[in-house]
Amino acid sequence: MDWVVFVVAGAAVLAGALGVILASHPVHAALMLVLTLFGIAVLFVAQQAHFLAAVQVIVYAGAIVVLFLFVIMLLGVDKSENVTTETLRGQRPIAYLAGLGVVAAIFLLARTTWVSGAQSVAGVADGPGSNVEKLASSLFTRYILAFEVTSVLLVIAVVGAVVLARHSPSGGVRDSEQA
Amino acid sequence: MSVPGAWYLGLAAMLFTIGGVGLLIRRNVLIMFMCVELMLNAVNLTFVTFARMLNDIGGQVVVFFVLVVAAAEVVVGLAIIVSIFRRRTEATADDISLLKG
């Protein structure tokens, strides 16, 4: 049963990822991204990370992909791109070779070097209590400072997005856009 | 029977590589951005797998923070893309080669 879930979700993840990089239309790529993100969420559930699976669906599939689609449609760049043209000669073969090299290097390293090291102080992943309880008790005690800093990060991101995307109130273009 | 963690790690490595190759071969900045998301997800899967293998909740805490940072990154990145595309209609990274142009 576990293997069935893993194979199906893993196939969805890889198919979605290939769809993202091979689709010529940005909207299709965004929808393929949803497939990958759902597959990852299923794999999270299969590894007892229930809270993260829910957050994955809500934040990634629910917010980030919608934001992508929103920008694609807002900008009107939803026209197909010719994915076979090369501006840099030999870029694609070199990219594929580099990808093969990376995956080969990872698998070779995984054969010689393997998981080791001491337990961290964050707490154990199994045992009594739900996954949410354990994650929360670690997050709100050990990592409370980092958790609070993320709120600052989110505020900065919102302010930055507003500043970057707004039109100048003096009607017309800003100085930086006149060049 | 539970799937060994090595299989998850192999899947995550392949997903990371697909994302990296996509970043190299695509010229549309929006799709390049999606490829970055693919790579982030591959690393998230690795962290969750190690959290299970080492019986340590710390990996899941890291994934939580990665999700927050990824959300912030997408917001700012898409705002930059929107402000670039106000002035240009082409959607390729080759046209955005100057910081001020």
Side-chain angles (χ1 to χ4, degrees), chain A residues 115-142:
Chain A
V115 185
S116 62
Q119 281 275 319
S120 79
V121 288
V124 295
D126 57 10
S130 68
N131 170 252
V132 183
E133 279 173 32
K134 279 172 292 204
L135 190 58
S137 67
S138 186
L139 198 59
F140 291 122
T141 55
R142 188 87 208 168

PDB file of all heavy atoms in Angstrom, chain A residues 115-142:
ATOM      1  N   VAL A 115      23.219   9.158   6.032  1.00  0.00           N
ATOM      2  CA  VAL A 115      22.701   9.900   7.169  1.00  0.00           C
ATOM      3  C   VAL A 115      23.467   9.541   8.432  1.00  0.00           C
ATOM      4  O   VAL A 115      23.648   8.366   8.744  1.00  0.00           O
ATOM      5  CB  VAL A 115      21.225   9.565   7.387  1.00  0.00           C
ATOM      6  CG1 VAL A 115      20.650  10.403   8.481  1.00  0.00           C
ATOM      7  CG2 VAL A 115      20.464   9.748   6.119  1.00  0.00           C
ATOM      8  N   SER A 116      23.895  10.536   9.137  1.00  0.00           N
ATOM      9  CA  SER A 116      24.596  10.282  10.391  1.00  0.00           C
ATOM     10  C   SER A 116      24.360  11.489  11.283  1.00  0.00           C
ATOM     11  O   SER A 116      23.605  12.379  10.949  1.00  0.00           O
ATOM     12  CB  SER A 116      26.097  10.081  10.153  1.00  0.00           C
ATOM     13  OG  SER A 116      26.638  11.248   9.620  1.00  0.00           O
ATOM     14  N   GLY A 117      25.012  11.514  12.392  1.00  0.00           N
ATOM     15  CA  GLY A 117      24.932  12.676  13.249  1.00  0.00           C
ATOM     16  C   GLY A 117      24.020  12.458  14.428  1.00  0.00           C
ATOM     17  O   GLY A 117      23.288  11.483  14.526  1.00  0.00           O
ATOM     18  N   ALA A 118      24.075  13.412  15.359  1.00  0.00           N
ATOM     19  CA  ALA A 118      23.314  13.317  16.584  1.00  0.00           C
ATOM     20  C   ALA A 118      21.918  13.860  16.377  1.00  0.00           C
ATOM     21  O   ALA A 118      21.638  14.585  15.426  1.00  0.00           O
ATOM     22  CB  ALA A 118      24.017  14.107  17.679  1.00  0.00           C
ATOM     23  N   GLN A 119      21.018  13.496  17.280  1.00  0.00           N
ATOM     24  CA  GLN A 119      19.689  14.072  17.292  1.00  0.00           C
ATOM     25  C   GLN A 119      19.792  15.563  17.546  1.00  0.00           C
ATOM     26  O   GLN A 119      20.624  16.022  18.315  1.00  0.00           O
ATOM     27  CB  GLN A 119      18.892  13.449  18.440  1.00  0.00           C
ATOM     28  CG  GLN A 119      18.352  12.083  18.138  1.00  0.00           C
ATOM     29  CD  GLN A 119      17.040  12.178  17.405  1.00  0.00           C
ATOM     30  OE1 GLN A 119      16.216  13.010  17.736  1.00  0.00           O
ATOM     31  NE2 GLN A 119      16.860  11.356  16.407  1.00  0.00           N
ATOM     32  N   SER A 120      18.919  16.317  16.885  1.00  0.00           N
ATOM     33  CA  SER A 120      18.873  17.732  17.218  1.00  0.00           C
ATOM     34  C   SER A 120      18.053  17.906  18.487  1.00  0.00           C
ATOM     35  O   SER A 120      17.527  16.939  19.045  1.00  0.00           O
ATOM     36  CB  SER A 120      18.245  18.520  16.076  1.00  0.00           C
ATOM     37  OG  SER A 120      16.859  18.384  16.115  1.00  0.00           O
ATOM     38  N   VAL A 121      17.961  19.125  18.939  1.00  0.00           N
ATOM     39  CA  VAL A 121      17.242  19.384  20.185  1.00  0.00           C
ATOM     40  C   VAL A 121      15.775  19.676  19.928  1.00  0.00           C
ATOM     41  O   VAL A 121      15.052  20.055  20.830  1.00  0.00           O
ATOM     42  CB  VAL A 121      17.883  20.571  20.933  1.00  0.00           C
ATOM     43  CG1 VAL A 121      19.214  20.160  21.504  1.00  0.00           C
ATOM     44  CG2 VAL A 121      18.042  21.754  20.016  1.00  0.00           C
ATOM     45  N   ALA A 122      15.328  19.495  18.673  1.00  0.00           N
ATOM     46  CA  ALA A 122      13.973  19.932  18.331  1.00  0.00           C
ATOM     47  C   ALA A 122      12.904  19.004  18.882  1.00  0.00           C
ATOM     48  O   ALA A 122      11.771  19.422  19.070  1.00  0.00           O
ATOM     49  CB  ALA A 122      13.831  20.041  16.822  1.00  0.00           C
ATOM     50  N   GLY A 123      13.227  17.744  19.119  1.00  0.00           N
ATOM     51  CA  GLY A 123      12.220  16.816  19.608  1.00  0.00           C
ATOM     52  C   GLY A 123      12.063  15.661  18.645  1.00  0.00           C
ATOM     53  O   GLY A 123      12.571  15.686  17.528  1.00  0.00           O
ATOM     54  N   VAL A 124      11.360  14.624  19.089  1.00  0.00           N
ATOM     55  CA  VAL A 124      11.201  13.440  18.262  1.00  0.00           C
ATOM     56  C   VAL A 124       9.974  13.589  17.374  1.00  0.00           C
ATOM     57  O   VAL A 124       9.051  14.330  17.677  1.00  0.00           O
ATOM     58  CB  VAL A 124      11.081  12.170  19.123  1.00  0.00           C
ATOM     59  CG1 VAL A 124      12.358  11.921  19.876  1.00  0.00           C
ATOM     60  CG2 VAL A 124       9.905  12.276  20.065  1.00  0.00           C
ATOM     61  N   ALA A 125      10.010  12.837  16.263  1.00  0.00           N
ATOM     62  CA  ALA A 125       8.925  12.969  15.291  1.00  0.00           C
ATOM     63  C   ALA A 125       7.796  11.994  15.560  1.00  0.00           C
ATOM     64  O   ALA A 125       6.655  12.275  15.233  1.00  0.00           O
ATOM     65  CB  ALA A 125       9.453  12.775  13.874  1.00  0.00           C
ATOM     66  N   ASP A 126       8.092  10.820  16.123  1.00  0.00           N
ATOM     67  CA  ASP A 126       6.990   9.916  16.443  1.00  0.00           C
ATOM     68  C   ASP A 126       6.815   9.842  17.960  1.00  0.00           C
ATOM     69  O   ASP A 126       7.431  10.593  18.699  1.00  0.00           O
ATOM     70  CB  ASP A 126       7.208   8.538  15.816  1.00  0.00           C
ATOM     71  CG  ASP A 126       8.498   7.912  16.251  1.00  0.00           C
ATOM     72  OD1 ASP A 126       9.136   8.449  17.181  1.00  0.00           O
ATOM     73  OD2 ASP A 126       8.878   6.884  15.665  1.00  0.00           O
ATOM     74  N   GLY A 127       5.955   8.956  18.400  1.00  0.00           N
ATOM     75  CA  GLY A 127       5.631   8.922  19.816  1.00  0.00           C
ATOM     76  C   GLY A 127       4.231   9.451  20.033  1.00  0.00           C
ATOM     77  O   GLY A 127       3.484   9.657  19.078  1.00  0.00           O
ATOM     78  N   PRO A 128       3.840   9.629  21.286  1.00  0.00           N
ATOM     79  CA  PRO A 128       2.463  10.048  21.553  1.00  0.00           C
ATOM     80  C   PRO A 128       2.198  11.461  21.081  1.00  0.00           C
ATOM     81  O   PRO A 128       3.099  12.281  20.982  1.00  0.00           O
ATOM     82  CB  PRO A 128       2.365   9.945  23.075  1.00  0.00           C
ATOM     83  CG  PRO A 128       3.762  10.103  23.542  1.00  0.00           C
ATOM     84  CD  PRO A 128       4.622   9.477  22.507  1.00  0.00           C
ATOM     85  N   GLY A 129       0.951  11.734  20.798  1.00  0.00           N
ATOM     86  CA  GLY A 129       0.557  13.066  20.350  1.00  0.00           C
ATOM     87  C   GLY A 129       0.549  13.149  18.846  1.00  0.00           C
ATOM     88  O   GLY A 129       1.186  12.365  18.152  1.00  0.00           O
ATOM     89  N   SER A 130      -0.202  14.125  18.328  1.00  0.00           N
ATOM     90  CA  SER A 130      -0.304  14.258  16.881  1.00  0.00           C
ATOM     91  C   SER A 130       0.902  14.997  16.340  1.00  0.00           C
ATOM     92  O   SER A 130       1.684  15.597  17.075  1.00  0.00           O
ATOM     93  CB  SER A 130      -1.585  15.008  16.523  1.00  0.00           C
ATOM     94  OG  SER A 130      -1.482  16.342  16.954  1.00  0.00           O
ATOM     95  N   ASN A 131       1.024  14.940  15.009  1.00  0.00           N
ATOM     96  CA  ASN A 131       2.108  15.655  14.339  1.00  0.00           C
ATOM     97  C   ASN A 131       2.012  17.154  14.572  1.00  0.00           C
ATOM     98  O   ASN A 131       3.023  17.830  14.805  1.00  0.00           O
ATOM     99  CB  ASN A 131       2.043  15.320  12.843  1.00  0.00           C
ATOM    100  CG  ASN A 131       2.953  16.189  12.021  1.00  0.00           C
ATOM    101  OD1 ASN A 131       2.486  17.057  11.305  1.00  0.00           O
ATOM    102  ND2 ASN A 131       4.234  15.976  12.136  1.00  0.00           N
ATOM    103  N   VAL A 132       0.792  17.682  14.576  1.00  0.00           N
ATOM    104  CA  VAL A 132       0.613  19.124  14.766  1.00  0.00           C
ATOM    105  C   VAL A 132       1.092  19.538  16.145  1.00  0.00           C
ATOM    106  O   VAL A 132       1.775  20.553  16.308  1.00  0.00           O
ATOM    107  CB  VAL A 132      -0.868  19.496  14.561  1.00  0.00           C
ATOM    108  CG1 VAL A 132      -1.051  20.987  14.686  1.00  0.00           C
ATOM    109  CG2 VAL A 132      -1.359  19.024  13.222  1.00  0.00           C
ATOM    110  N   GLU A 133       0.752  18.732  17.162  1.00  0.00           N
ATOM    111  CA  GLU A 133       1.178  19.054  18.528  1.00  0.00           C
ATOM    112  C   GLU A 133       2.688  19.112  18.642  1.00  0.00           C
ATOM    113  O   GLU A 133       3.255  20.042  19.227  1.00  0.00           O
ATOM    114  CB  GLU A 133       0.658  17.993  19.502  1.00  0.00           C
ATOM    115  CG  GLU A 133      -0.771  18.157  19.922  1.00  0.00           C
ATOM    116  CD  GLU A 133      -1.213  16.955  20.741  1.00  0.00           C
ATOM    117  OE1 GLU A 133      -0.380  16.375  21.450  1.00  0.00           O
ATOM    118  OE2 GLU A 133      -2.396  16.589  20.648  1.00  0.00           O
ATOM    119  N   LYS A 134       3.351  18.120  18.056  1.00  0.00           N
ATOM    120  CA  LYS A 134       4.810  18.092  18.203  1.00  0.00           C
ATOM    121  C   LYS A 134       5.471  19.223  17.442  1.00  0.00           C
ATOM    122  O   LYS A 134       6.411  19.854  17.939  1.00  0.00           O
ATOM    123  CB  LYS A 134       5.338  16.725  17.740  1.00  0.00           C
ATOM    124  CG  LYS A 134       5.190  15.680  18.832  1.00  0.00           C
ATOM    125  CD  LYS A 134       5.518  14.310  18.350  1.00  0.00           C
ATOM    126  CE  LYS A 134       4.487  13.864  17.371  1.00  0.00           C
ATOM    127  NZ  LYS A 134       4.379  12.402  17.268  1.00  0.00           N
ATOM    128  N   LEU A 135       4.962  19.472  16.242  1.00  0.00           N
ATOM    129  CA  LEU A 135       5.516  20.578  15.463  1.00  0.00           C
ATOM    130  C   LEU A 135       5.303  21.896  16.199  1.00  0.00           C
ATOM    131  O   LEU A 135       6.220  22.720  16.307  1.00  0.00           O
ATOM    132  CB  LEU A 135       4.841  20.610  14.093  1.00  0.00           C
ATOM    133  CG  LEU A 135       5.427  21.526  13.031  1.00  0.00           C
ATOM    134  CD1 LEU A 135       6.872  21.174  12.782  1.00  0.00           C
ATOM    135  CD2 LEU A 135       4.652  21.394  11.753  1.00  0.00           C
ATOM    136  N   ALA A 136       4.102  22.092  16.764  1.00  0.00           N
ATOM    137  CA  ALA A 136       3.801  23.346  17.445  1.00  0.00           C
ATOM    138  C   ALA A 136       4.628  23.501  18.700  1.00  0.00           C
ATOM    139  O   ALA A 136       5.148  24.585  18.984  1.00  0.00           O
ATOM    140  CB  ALA A 136       2.314  23.402  17.779  1.00  0.00           C
ATOM    141  N   SER A 137       4.803  22.404  19.452  1.00  0.00           N
ATOM    142  CA  SER A 137       5.552  22.548  20.694  1.00  0.00           C
ATOM    143  C   SER A 137       7.019  22.844  20.420  1.00  0.00           C
ATOM    144  O   SER A 137       7.665  23.538  21.201  1.00  0.00           O
ATOM    145  CB  SER A 137       5.414  21.284  21.540  1.00  0.00           C
ATOM    146  OG  SER A 137       6.049  20.220  20.896  1.00  0.00           O
ATOM    147  N   SER A 138       7.529  22.368  19.279  1.00  0.00           N
ATOM    148  CA  SER A 138       8.899  22.728  18.930  1.00  0.00           C
ATOM    149  C   SER A 138       8.972  24.162  18.406  1.00  0.00           C
ATOM    150  O   SER A 138       9.882  24.918  18.740  1.00  0.00           O
ATOM    151  CB  SER A 138       9.436  21.757  17.876  1.00  0.00           C
ATOM    152  OG  SER A 138      10.785  22.015  17.630  1.00  0.00           O
ATOM    153  N   LEU A 139       7.978  24.515  17.604  1.00  0.00           N
ATOM    154  CA  LEU A 139       7.995  25.831  16.957  1.00  0.00           C
ATOM    155  C   LEU A 139       7.812  26.950  17.975  1.00  0.00           C
ATOM    156  O   LEU A 139       8.450  27.997  17.877  1.00  0.00           O
ATOM    157  CB  LEU A 139       6.867  25.866  15.927  1.00  0.00           C
ATOM    158  CG  LEU A 139       6.903  26.927  14.842  1.00  0.00           C
ATOM    159  CD1 LEU A 139       8.166  26.780  14.037  1.00  0.00           C
ATOM    160  CD2 LEU A 139       5.701  26.740  13.947  1.00  0.00           C
ATOM    161  N   PHE A 140       6.962  26.725  18.962  1.00  0.00           N
ATOM    162  CA  PHE A 140       6.638  27.804  19.891  1.00  0.00           C
ATOM    163  C   PHE A 140       7.507  27.794  21.145  1.00  0.00           C
ATOM    164  O   PHE A 140       7.280  28.587  22.051  1.00  0.00           O
ATOM    165  CB  PHE A 140       5.166  27.745  20.280  1.00  0.00           C
ATOM    166  CG  PHE A 140       4.254  28.091  19.144  1.00  0.00           C
ATOM    167  CD1 PHE A 140       3.305  27.212  18.705  1.00  0.00           C
ATOM    168  CD2 PHE A 140       4.384  29.304  18.500  1.00  0.00           C
ATOM    169  CE1 PHE A 140       2.482  27.519  17.649  1.00  0.00           C
ATOM    170  CE2 PHE A 140       3.577  29.627  17.440  1.00  0.00           C
ATOM    171  CZ  PHE A 140       2.627  28.732  17.015  1.00  0.00           C
ATOM    172  N   THR A 141       8.467  26.884  21.218  1.00  0.00           N
ATOM    173  CA  THR A 141       9.414  26.960  22.333  1.00  0.00           C
ATOM    174  C   THR A 141      10.825  27.193  21.810  1.00  0.00           C
ATOM    175  O   THR A 141      11.404  28.257  21.981  1.00  0.00           O
ATOM    176  CB  THR A 141       9.379  25.671  23.158  1.00  0.00           C
ATOM    177  OG1 THR A 141       9.628  24.577  22.284  1.00  0.00           O
ATOM    178  CG2 THR A 141       8.043  25.484  23.834  1.00  0.00           C
ATOM    179  N   ARG A 142      11.334  26.177  21.115  1.00  0.00           N
ATOM    180  CA  ARG A 142      12.715  26.230  20.664  1.00  0.00           C
ATOM    181  C   ARG A 142      12.916  27.289  19.570  1.00  0.00           C
ATOM    182  O   ARG A 142      13.914  27.983  19.532  1.00  0.00           O
ATOM    183  CB  ARG A 142      13.085  24.846  20.120  1.00  0.00           C
ATOM    184  CG  ARG A 142      14.521  24.677  19.789  1.00  0.00           C
ATOM    185  CD  ARG A 142      15.299  24.239  20.998  1.00  0.00           C
ATOM    186  NE  ARG A 142      16.658  24.694  20.861  1.00  0.00           N
ATOM    187  CZ  ARG A 142      17.532  24.672  21.860  1.00  0.00           C
ATOM    188  NH1 ARG A 142      17.164  24.246  23.038  1.00  0.00           N
ATOM    189  NH2 ARG A 142      18.749  25.090  21.677  1.00  0.00           N
TER     190      ARG A 142
END
